[in-house]
Amino acid sequence: MRGRHAAADLRSNGFVALAAGMILPLVVIGAVYGGYQMMSSTGCSGTVRLSVAASPEIAPAIKDAAARWIKTEPRVDNECVAVDVVAVGASEVAAAIAGEHGVTINTLGQADGKTQVPHVWIPDSSIWLQRMRAAREDLVPQNAPSLARSPIVLAVPEPTAKSLGWLENKLTWKQVLQQIVGDTRITPGIVDPNRDAVGISTMVAMASVRDQFGPEGDALTVGAIKALTTGKSEQQSGLIARFPRDADPRTLSTAVTLAPLSEQALHAYNATGPAVPLVAVYPDPAPIALDYPFTAMPRLSPNRPPPRSSSGRCCPGPSSATCSPRTSCAPTTAPSAPA
């Protein structure tokens, strides 16, 4: 019953859980360390620490799932397992991975020097994995199962949505873009798309329908994108702080009155009981949803080399397997605890 309750809680907060109960996939944990087994807690010869970096909005659920898994007392070669879950933005982890391997992710910027490359990464979107692979294919694995989904919506203050007639009507992107470009009731905002998957997904959705608008398509799309990015924020917290704090017309005229957010972020904002709640507007077609991929990181780090066979080569299988120099693989026996 706990798994069902956890999934229901996630749905009520703008998540749709795909992994039952959000239990960390043991198969993927096994792929990171290999050879885990369930044993009693007595007689551990040491502790293997597994680091997990998760997007802040899903980190609490991951911590809860990790705590439940640790209660099953998993082992790696008779060593106990500890899971350290850190809430960190996807852009910071992506920059850290790129910096550690000397590659450049276009428009992302440099690593902050504080974020560590984890063993498991749960960004908010597979868009981040696509960007990493575009820089170097082996930086992240090809297989990263989704843990949860959250649709991307346009967040509009309720008074503004009422005045626009957007509370009940299903909207096309053309209607939305026309309002962004030509309606003074709309003050758009967005988190910098270079550092935010919601922003990227929204821009892609807008560009994908441009040709449907006829001769005005280019001007309409470019105008809307310019309006959005003119009001961009570096972080989601900065964008949310710009929503109206009261329904006074003067406040509405200067506050952000339309911004792409995940459905989960909108639910979290409204849960705080703001004086002006946000309404979710669902344009058609919808932007690509956040999917929270569970990413077991390849062991490419110079300070965390992959396990090697008796011949000194990295092997994804038995020690007799043949491996290429670029192979990134999971151990078949547990490594020593990472530094």
Side-chain angles (χ1 to χ4, degrees), residues 157-198:
E158 189 174 59
T160 304
K162 285 181 179 178
S163 70
L164 293 169
W166 283 5
L167 287 181
E168 302 296 337
N169 295 332
K170 185 176 182 179
L171 298 176
T172 66
W173 273 109
K174 185 174 184 178
Q175 291 172 294
V176 172
L177 299 187
Q178 286 173 333
Q179 298 294 111
I180 291 176
V181 171
D183 196 316
T184 58
R185 291 170 292 182
I186 296 293
T187 301
I190 195 171
V191 180
D192 184 355
N194 294 318
R195 302 182 62 81
D196 182 65
V198 171

mmCIF file of all heavy atoms in Angstrom, residues 157-198:
data_model
loop_
_atom_site.group_PDB
_atom_site.id
_atom_site.type_symbol
_atom_site.label_atom_id
_atom_site.label_comp_id
_atom_site.label_asym_id
_atom_site.label_seq_id
_atom_site.Cartn_x
_atom_site.Cartn_y
_atom_site.Cartn_z
ATOM 1 N N PRO A 157 -1.688 34.106 -13.474
ATOM 2 C CA PRO A 157 -2.467 34.491 -12.289
ATOM 3 C C PRO A 157 -3.963 34.398 -12.583
ATOM 4 O O PRO A 157 -4.416 34.744 -13.679
ATOM 5 C CB PRO A 157 -2.028 35.941 -12.036
ATOM 6 C CG PRO A 157 -0.688 36.046 -12.663
ATOM 7 C CD PRO A 157 -0.724 35.154 -13.866
ATOM 8 N N GLU A 158 -4.704 33.925 -11.613
ATOM 9 C CA GLU A 158 -6.132 33.677 -11.829
ATOM 10 C C GLU A 158 -6.896 34.897 -12.356
ATOM 11 O O GLU A 158 -7.687 34.763 -13.301
ATOM 12 C CB GLU A 158 -6.767 33.169 -10.529
ATOM 13 C CG GLU A 158 -8.186 32.680 -10.689
ATOM 14 C CD GLU A 158 -8.695 32.054 -9.408
ATOM 15 O OE1 GLU A 158 -8.719 32.765 -8.379
ATOM 16 O OE2 GLU A 158 -9.058 30.864 -9.440
ATOM 17 N N PRO A 159 -6.692 36.116 -11.820
ATOM 18 C CA PRO A 159 -7.427 37.268 -12.368
ATOM 19 C C PRO A 159 -7.122 37.517 -13.845
ATOM 20 O O PRO A 159 -8.022 37.874 -14.624
ATOM 21 C CB PRO A 159 -6.955 38.435 -11.500
ATOM 22 C CG PRO A 159 -6.456 37.813 -10.246
ATOM 23 C CD PRO A 159 -5.864 36.506 -10.663
ATOM 24 N N THR A 160 -5.869 37.312 -14.232
ATOM 25 C CA THR A 160 -5.492 37.509 -15.632
ATOM 26 C C THR A 160 -6.124 36.445 -16.515
ATOM 27 O O THR A 160 -6.637 36.745 -17.609
ATOM 28 C CB THR A 160 -3.965 37.485 -15.787
ATOM 29 O OG1 THR A 160 -3.389 38.470 -14.931
ATOM 30 C CG2 THR A 160 -3.554 37.750 -17.222
ATOM 31 N N ALA A 161 -6.099 35.198 -16.055
ATOM 32 C CA ALA A 161 -6.705 34.112 -16.831
ATOM 33 C C ALA A 161 -8.195 34.354 -17.032
ATOM 34 O O ALA A 161 -8.748 34.103 -18.117
ATOM 35 C CB ALA A 161 -6.467 32.774 -16.130
ATOM 36 N N LYS A 162 -8.876 34.870 -15.987
ATOM 37 C CA LYS A 162 -10.303 35.179 -16.112
ATOM 38 C C LYS A 162 -10.538 36.278 -17.133
ATOM 39 O O LYS A 162 -11.430 36.184 -17.984
ATOM 40 C CB LYS A 162 -10.868 35.600 -14.750
ATOM 41 C CG LYS A 162 -11.077 34.464 -13.772
ATOM 42 C CD LYS A 162 -11.667 34.993 -12.461
ATOM 43 C CE LYS A 162 -11.916 33.854 -11.468
ATOM 44 N NZ LYS A 162 -12.452 34.368 -10.172
ATOM 45 N N SER A 163 -9.736 37.323 -17.088
ATOM 46 C CA SER A 163 -9.948 38.449 -18.006
ATOM 47 C C SER A 163 -9.661 38.065 -19.450
ATOM 48 O O SER A 163 -10.248 38.632 -20.377
ATOM 49 C CB SER A 163 -9.070 39.642 -17.592
ATOM 50 O OG SER A 163 -7.702 39.375 -17.839
ATOM 51 N N LEU A 164 -8.777 37.081 -19.647
ATOM 52 C CA LEU A 164 -8.453 36.624 -21.003
ATOM 53 C C LEU A 164 -9.414 35.548 -21.505
ATOM 54 O O LEU A 164 -9.368 35.169 -22.682
ATOM 55 C CB LEU A 164 -7.026 36.066 -21.032
ATOM 56 C CG LEU A 164 -5.888 37.069 -20.811
ATOM 57 C CD1 LEU A 164 -4.581 36.332 -20.592
ATOM 58 C CD2 LEU A 164 -5.774 38.023 -21.997
ATOM 59 N N GLY A 165 -10.270 35.034 -20.620
ATOM 60 C CA GLY A 165 -11.162 33.945 -20.999
ATOM 61 C C GLY A 165 -10.448 32.621 -21.146
ATOM 62 O O GLY A 165 -10.849 31.761 -21.936
ATOM 63 N N TRP A 166 -9.379 32.443 -20.362
ATOM 64 C CA TRP A 166 -8.549 31.242 -20.479
ATOM 65 C C TRP A 166 -8.863 30.175 -19.434
ATOM 66 O O TRP A 166 -8.188 29.157 -19.389
ATOM 67 C CB TRP A 166 -7.072 31.623 -20.347
ATOM 68 C CG TRP A 166 -6.511 32.258 -21.587
ATOM 69 C CD1 TRP A 166 -7.175 32.601 -22.727
ATOM 70 C CD2 TRP A 166 -5.131 32.619 -21.793
ATOM 71 N NE1 TRP A 166 -6.313 33.157 -23.635
ATOM 72 C CE2 TRP A 166 -5.051 33.189 -23.087
ATOM 73 C CE3 TRP A 166 -3.977 32.544 -21.021
ATOM 74 C CZ2 TRP A 166 -3.848 33.656 -23.625
ATOM 75 C CZ3 TRP A 166 -2.785 33.015 -21.553
ATOM 76 C CH2 TRP A 166 -2.719 33.557 -22.839
ATOM 77 N N LEU A 167 -9.851 30.364 -18.619
ATOM 78 C CA LEU A 167 -10.104 29.397 -17.542
ATOM 79 C C LEU A 167 -10.641 28.074 -18.067
ATOM 80 O O LEU A 167 -10.319 27.010 -17.541
ATOM 81 C CB LEU A 167 -11.081 29.987 -16.521
ATOM 82 C CG LEU A 167 -10.517 31.085 -15.617
ATOM 83 C CD1 LEU A 167 -11.585 31.558 -14.644
ATOM 84 C CD2 LEU A 167 -9.292 30.587 -14.844
ATOM 85 N N GLU A 168 -11.460 28.116 -19.104
ATOM 86 C CA GLU A 168 -12.112 26.896 -19.582
ATOM 87 C C GLU A 168 -11.685 26.517 -20.992
ATOM 88 O O GLU A 168 -11.751 25.357 -21.378
ATOM 89 C CB GLU A 168 -13.641 27.067 -19.548
ATOM 90 C CG GLU A 168 -14.195 27.392 -18.164
ATOM 91 C CD GLU A 168 -13.977 26.282 -17.157
ATOM 92 O OE1 GLU A 168 -13.813 25.117 -17.592
ATOM 93 O OE2 GLU A 168 -13.962 26.567 -15.951
ATOM 94 N N ASN A 169 -11.303 27.504 -21.795
ATOM 95 C CA ASN A 169 -11.055 27.244 -23.204
ATOM 96 C C ASN A 169 -9.744 26.501 -23.430
ATOM 97 O O ASN A 169 -8.742 26.763 -22.759
ATOM 98 C CB ASN A 169 -11.017 28.562 -23.992
ATOM 99 C CG ASN A 169 -12.361 29.267 -23.974
ATOM 100 O OD1 ASN A 169 -13.394 28.618 -23.853
ATOM 101 N ND2 ASN A 169 -12.339 30.588 -24.095
ATOM 102 N N LYS A 170 -9.764 25.587 -24.398
ATOM 103 C CA LYS A 170 -8.544 24.930 -24.829
ATOM 104 C C LYS A 170 -7.846 25.858 -25.810
ATOM 105 O O LYS A 170 -8.454 26.336 -26.772
ATOM 106 C CB LYS A 170 -8.853 23.584 -25.492
ATOM 107 C CG LYS A 170 -7.610 22.783 -25.858
ATOM 108 C CD LYS A 170 -7.999 21.418 -26.417
ATOM 109 C CE LYS A 170 -6.763 20.598 -26.729
ATOM 110 N NZ LYS A 170 -7.115 19.247 -27.248
ATOM 111 N N LEU A 171 -6.571 26.124 -25.590
ATOM 112 C CA LEU A 171 -5.879 27.135 -26.372
ATOM 113 C C LEU A 171 -4.878 26.522 -27.344
ATOM 114 O O LEU A 171 -4.231 25.511 -27.036
ATOM 115 C CB LEU A 171 -5.139 28.091 -25.440
ATOM 116 C CG LEU A 171 -5.999 28.888 -24.462
ATOM 117 C CD1 LEU A 171 -5.109 29.717 -23.556
ATOM 118 C CD2 LEU A 171 -6.978 29.781 -25.206
ATOM 119 N N THR A 172 -4.763 27.139 -28.494
ATOM 120 C CA THR A 172 -3.702 26.796 -29.425
ATOM 121 C C THR A 172 -2.508 27.703 -29.166
ATOM 122 O O THR A 172 -2.625 28.764 -28.541
ATOM 123 C CB THR A 172 -4.165 26.992 -30.876
ATOM 124 O OG1 THR A 172 -4.402 28.394 -31.106
ATOM 125 C CG2 THR A 172 -5.454 26.213 -31.155
ATOM 126 N N TRP A 173 -1.360 27.305 -29.668
ATOM 127 C CA TRP A 173 -0.172 28.148 -29.514
ATOM 128 C C TRP A 173 -0.345 29.479 -30.242
ATOM 129 O O TRP A 173 0.174 30.506 -29.798
ATOM 130 C CB TRP A 173 1.070 27.415 -30.017
ATOM 131 C CG TRP A 173 1.696 26.569 -28.959
ATOM 132 C CD1 TRP A 173 1.704 25.205 -28.894
ATOM 133 C CD2 TRP A 173 2.401 27.026 -27.806
ATOM 134 N NE1 TRP A 173 2.365 24.788 -27.771
ATOM 135 C CE2 TRP A 173 2.811 25.885 -27.089
ATOM 136 C CE3 TRP A 173 2.726 28.278 -27.308
ATOM 137 C CZ2 TRP A 173 3.528 25.963 -25.902
ATOM 138 C CZ3 TRP A 173 3.444 28.373 -26.122
ATOM 139 C CH2 TRP A 173 3.845 27.235 -25.435
ATOM 140 N N LYS A 174 -1.062 29.460 -31.352
ATOM 141 C CA LYS A 174 -1.261 30.717 -32.069
ATOM 142 C C LYS A 174 -1.990 31.729 -31.194
ATOM 143 O O LYS A 174 -1.611 32.914 -31.132
ATOM 144 C CB LYS A 174 -2.032 30.483 -33.361
ATOM 145 C CG LYS A 174 -2.166 31.744 -34.214
ATOM 146 C CD LYS A 174 -2.803 31.454 -35.557
ATOM 147 C CE LYS A 174 -2.842 32.715 -36.420
ATOM 148 N NZ LYS A 174 -3.420 32.459 -37.758
ATOM 149 N N GLN A 175 -3.033 31.280 -30.498
ATOM 150 C CA GLN A 175 -3.747 32.180 -29.588
ATOM 151 C C GLN A 175 -2.821 32.699 -28.488
ATOM 152 O O GLN A 175 -2.836 33.892 -28.146
ATOM 153 C CB GLN A 175 -4.941 31.445 -28.964
ATOM 154 C CG GLN A 175 -6.066 31.115 -29.931
ATOM 155 C CD GLN A 175 -7.107 30.219 -29.282
ATOM 156 O OE1 GLN A 175 -6.829 29.066 -28.938
ATOM 157 N NE2 GLN A 175 -8.310 30.749 -29.094
ATOM 158 N N VAL A 176 -2.027 31.797 -27.928
ATOM 159 C CA VAL A 176 -1.123 32.188 -26.844
ATOM 160 C C VAL A 176 -0.093 33.200 -27.348
ATOM 161 O O VAL A 176 0.142 34.241 -26.716
ATOM 162 C CB VAL A 176 -0.419 30.949 -26.255
ATOM 163 C CG1 VAL A 176 0.673 31.362 -25.271
ATOM 164 C CG2 VAL A 176 -1.429 30.042 -25.557
ATOM 165 N N LEU A 177 0.512 32.929 -28.491
ATOM 166 C CA LEU A 177 1.554 33.807 -29.005
ATOM 167 C C LEU A 177 0.995 35.177 -29.379
ATOM 168 O O LEU A 177 1.649 36.208 -29.165
ATOM 169 C CB LEU A 177 2.247 33.168 -30.210
ATOM 170 C CG LEU A 177 2.956 31.828 -29.956
ATOM 171 C CD1 LEU A 177 3.735 31.393 -31.188
ATOM 172 C CD2 LEU A 177 3.855 31.876 -28.743
ATOM 173 N N GLN A 178 -0.196 35.184 -29.934
ATOM 174 C CA GLN A 178 -0.819 36.468 -30.265
ATOM 175 C C GLN A 178 -1.041 37.309 -29.013
ATOM 176 O O GLN A 178 -0.842 38.527 -29.026
ATOM 177 C CB GLN A 178 -2.139 36.230 -30.994
ATOM 178 C CG GLN A 178 -1.968 35.773 -32.442
ATOM 179 C CD GLN A 178 -3.283 35.389 -33.093
ATOM 180 O OE1 GLN A 178 -4.244 34.985 -32.417
ATOM 181 N NE2 GLN A 178 -3.349 35.503 -34.416
ATOM 182 N N GLN A 179 -1.442 36.665 -27.923
ATOM 183 C CA GLN A 179 -1.653 37.394 -26.671
ATOM 184 C C GLN A 179 -0.326 37.885 -26.092
ATOM 185 O O GLN A 179 -0.238 38.997 -25.585
ATOM 186 C CB GLN A 179 -2.366 36.504 -25.658
ATOM 187 C CG GLN A 179 -3.750 36.042 -26.048
ATOM 188 C CD GLN A 179 -4.747 37.178 -26.139
ATOM 189 O OE1 GLN A 179 -5.204 37.534 -27.209
ATOM 190 N NE2 GLN A 179 -5.084 37.757 -25.001
ATOM 191 N N ILE A 180 0.709 37.056 -26.175
ATOM 192 C CA ILE A 180 2.015 37.456 -25.652
ATOM 193 C C ILE A 180 2.527 38.687 -26.389
ATOM 194 O O ILE A 180 3.047 39.632 -25.786
ATOM 195 C CB ILE A 180 3.030 36.295 -25.775
ATOM 196 C CG1 ILE A 180 2.673 35.157 -24.803
ATOM 197 C CG2 ILE A 180 4.454 36.785 -25.492
ATOM 198 C CD1 ILE A 180 3.560 33.935 -24.935
ATOM 199 N N VAL A 181 2.361 38.688 -27.715
ATOM 200 C CA VAL A 181 2.898 39.772 -28.529
ATOM 201 C C VAL A 181 2.045 41.044 -28.449
ATOM 202 O O VAL A 181 2.578 42.163 -28.412
ATOM 203 C CB VAL A 181 3.033 39.314 -30.001
ATOM 204 C CG1 VAL A 181 3.391 40.495 -30.906
ATOM 205 C CG2 VAL A 181 4.087 38.228 -30.115
ATOM 206 N N GLY A 182 0.702 40.891 -28.384
ATOM 207 C CA GLY A 182 -0.141 42.056 -28.574
ATOM 208 C C GLY A 182 -1.049 42.467 -27.431
ATOM 209 O O GLY A 182 -1.778 43.455 -27.558
ATOM 210 N N ASP A 183 -1.032 41.755 -26.307
ATOM 211 C CA ASP A 183 -1.969 42.073 -25.229
ATOM 212 C C ASP A 183 -1.210 42.647 -24.037
ATOM 213 O O ASP A 183 -0.331 41.980 -23.467
ATOM 214 C CB ASP A 183 -2.735 40.816 -24.811
ATOM 215 C CG ASP A 183 -3.978 41.123 -23.984
ATOM 216 O OD1 ASP A 183 -3.889 41.966 -23.088
ATOM 217 O OD2 ASP A 183 -5.027 40.498 -24.238
ATOM 218 N N THR A 184 -1.559 43.838 -23.653
ATOM 219 C CA THR A 184 -0.844 44.499 -22.553
ATOM 220 C C THR A 184 -1.106 43.862 -21.201
ATOM 221 O O THR A 184 -0.412 44.166 -20.225
ATOM 222 C CB THR A 184 -1.229 45.988 -22.490
ATOM 223 O OG1 THR A 184 -2.655 46.107 -22.325
ATOM 224 C CG2 THR A 184 -0.804 46.710 -23.763
ATOM 225 N N ARG A 185 -2.108 42.992 -21.123
ATOM 226 C CA ARG A 185 -2.361 42.290 -19.865
ATOM 227 C C ARG A 185 -1.336 41.189 -19.620
ATOM 228 O O ARG A 185 -1.255 40.630 -18.525
ATOM 229 C CB ARG A 185 -3.778 41.698 -19.865
ATOM 230 C CG ARG A 185 -4.895 42.719 -19.797
ATOM 231 C CD ARG A 185 -6.253 42.083 -20.042
ATOM 232 N NE ARG A 185 -6.379 41.617 -21.427
ATOM 233 C CZ ARG A 185 -7.477 41.047 -21.939
ATOM 234 N NH1 ARG A 185 -8.525 40.855 -21.150
ATOM 235 N NH2 ARG A 185 -7.508 40.666 -23.198
ATOM 236 N N ILE A 186 -0.579 40.847 -20.646
ATOM 237 C CA ILE A 186 0.414 39.783 -20.542
ATOM 238 C C ILE A 186 1.804 40.385 -20.377
ATOM 239 O O ILE A 186 2.299 41.118 -21.231
ATOM 240 C CB ILE A 186 0.402 38.883 -21.800
ATOM 241 C CG1 ILE A 186 -0.930 38.159 -21.938
ATOM 242 C CG2 ILE A 186 1.554 37.888 -21.754
ATOM 243 C CD1 ILE A 186 -1.186 37.144 -20.850
ATOM 244 N N THR A 187 2.429 40.059 -19.238
ATOM 245 C CA THR A 187 3.845 40.346 -19.020
ATOM 246 C C THR A 187 4.540 38.990 -18.865
ATOM 247 O O THR A 187 4.432 38.354 -17.812
ATOM 248 C CB THR A 187 4.073 41.199 -17.761
ATOM 249 O OG1 THR A 187 3.353 42.430 -17.884
ATOM 250 C CG2 THR A 187 5.556 41.495 -17.569
ATOM 251 N N PRO A 188 5.191 38.521 -19.899
ATOM 252 C CA PRO A 188 5.727 37.157 -19.849
ATOM 253 C C PRO A 188 7.052 37.074 -19.112
ATOM 254 O O PRO A 188 7.788 38.053 -18.994
ATOM 255 C CB PRO A 188 5.903 36.802 -21.326
ATOM 256 C CG PRO A 188 6.174 38.112 -21.987
ATOM 257 C CD PRO A 188 5.387 39.147 -21.217
ATOM 258 N N GLY A 189 7.341 35.888 -18.630
ATOM 259 C CA GLY A 189 8.617 35.597 -18.002
ATOM 260 C C GLY A 189 8.995 34.157 -18.273
ATOM 261 O O GLY A 189 8.145 33.337 -18.660
ATOM 262 N N ILE A 190 10.246 33.836 -18.086
ATOM 263 C CA ILE A 190 10.741 32.481 -18.320
ATOM 264 C C ILE A 190 12.060 32.333 -17.582
ATOM 265 O O ILE A 190 12.757 33.325 -17.337
ATOM 266 C CB ILE A 190 10.935 32.230 -19.842
ATOM 267 C CG1 ILE A 190 11.086 30.733 -20.156
ATOM 268 C CG2 ILE A 190 12.136 33.016 -20.380
ATOM 269 C CD1 ILE A 190 11.047 30.423 -21.655
ATOM 270 N N VAL A 191 12.393 31.126 -17.181
ATOM 271 C CA VAL A 191 13.730 30.851 -16.659
ATOM 272 C C VAL A 191 14.649 30.656 -17.857
ATOM 273 O O VAL A 191 14.265 30.048 -18.855
ATOM 274 C CB VAL A 191 13.736 29.608 -15.748
ATOM 275 C CG1 VAL A 191 15.150 29.344 -15.225
ATOM 276 C CG2 VAL A 191 12.778 29.792 -14.581
ATOM 277 N N ASP A 192 15.842 31.185 -17.773
ATOM 278 C CA ASP A 192 16.808 31.138 -18.874
ATOM 279 C C ASP A 192 16.824 29.747 -19.518
ATOM 280 O O ASP A 192 17.211 28.762 -18.882
ATOM 281 C CB ASP A 192 18.199 31.465 -18.326
ATOM 282 C CG ASP A 192 19.262 31.540 -19.415
ATOM 283 O OD1 ASP A 192 18.949 31.251 -20.588
ATOM 284 O OD2 ASP A 192 20.405 31.890 -19.082
ATOM 285 N N PRO A 193 16.394 29.633 -20.786
ATOM 286 C CA PRO A 193 16.341 28.312 -21.430
ATOM 287 C C PRO A 193 17.695 27.625 -21.535
ATOM 288 O O PRO A 193 17.745 26.404 -21.699
ATOM 289 C CB PRO A 193 15.767 28.627 -22.824
ATOM 290 C CG PRO A 193 15.038 29.907 -22.663
ATOM 291 C CD PRO A 193 15.834 30.684 -21.651
ATOM 292 N N ASN A 194 18.776 28.383 -21.444
ATOM 293 C CA ASN A 194 20.093 27.757 -21.474
ATOM 294 C C ASN A 194 20.360 26.919 -20.231
ATOM 295 O O ASN A 194 21.227 26.042 -20.246
ATOM 296 C CB ASN A 194 21.187 28.822 -21.601
ATOM 297 C CG ASN A 194 21.134 29.551 -22.925
ATOM 298 O OD1 ASN A 194 20.923 28.935 -23.961
ATOM 299 N ND2 ASN A 194 21.316 30.861 -22.893
ATOM 300 N N ARG A 195 19.612 27.187 -19.157
ATOM 301 C CA ARG A 195 19.853 26.510 -17.886
ATOM 302 C C ARG A 195 18.599 25.854 -17.311
ATOM 303 O O ARG A 195 18.580 25.454 -16.161
ATOM 304 C CB ARG A 195 20.417 27.504 -16.865
ATOM 305 C CG ARG A 195 21.697 28.174 -17.306
ATOM 306 C CD ARG A 195 22.236 29.120 -16.243
ATOM 307 N NE ARG A 195 22.574 28.398 -15.011
ATOM 308 C CZ ARG A 195 23.698 27.722 -14.807
ATOM 309 N NH1 ARG A 195 24.616 27.673 -15.748
ATOM 310 N NH2 ARG A 195 23.926 27.112 -13.666
ATOM 311 N N ASP A 196 17.556 25.739 -18.129
ATOM 312 C CA ASP A 196 16.287 25.239 -17.596
ATOM 313 C C ASP A 196 15.555 24.417 -18.645
ATOM 314 O O ASP A 196 15.289 24.907 -19.753
ATOM 315 C CB ASP A 196 15.421 26.424 -17.159
ATOM 316 C CG ASP A 196 14.100 25.985 -16.559
ATOM 317 O OD1 ASP A 196 14.121 25.332 -15.491
ATOM 318 O OD2 ASP A 196 13.053 26.298 -17.148
ATOM 319 N N ALA A 197 15.218 23.174 -18.302
ATOM 320 C CA ALA A 197 14.560 22.283 -19.259
ATOM 321 C C ALA A 197 13.152 22.742 -19.602
ATOM 322 O O ALA A 197 12.679 22.538 -20.721
ATOM 323 C CB ALA A 197 14.531 20.855 -18.707
ATOM 324 N N VAL A 198 12.453 23.361 -18.636
ATOM 325 C CA VAL A 198 11.109 23.865 -18.926
ATOM 326 C C VAL A 198 11.177 24.933 -20.013
ATOM 327 O O VAL A 198 10.371 24.959 -20.947
ATOM 328 C CB VAL A 198 10.453 24.428 -17.649
ATOM 329 C CG1 VAL A 198 9.149 25.149 -17.980
ATOM 330 C CG2 VAL A 198 10.177 23.306 -16.653
#
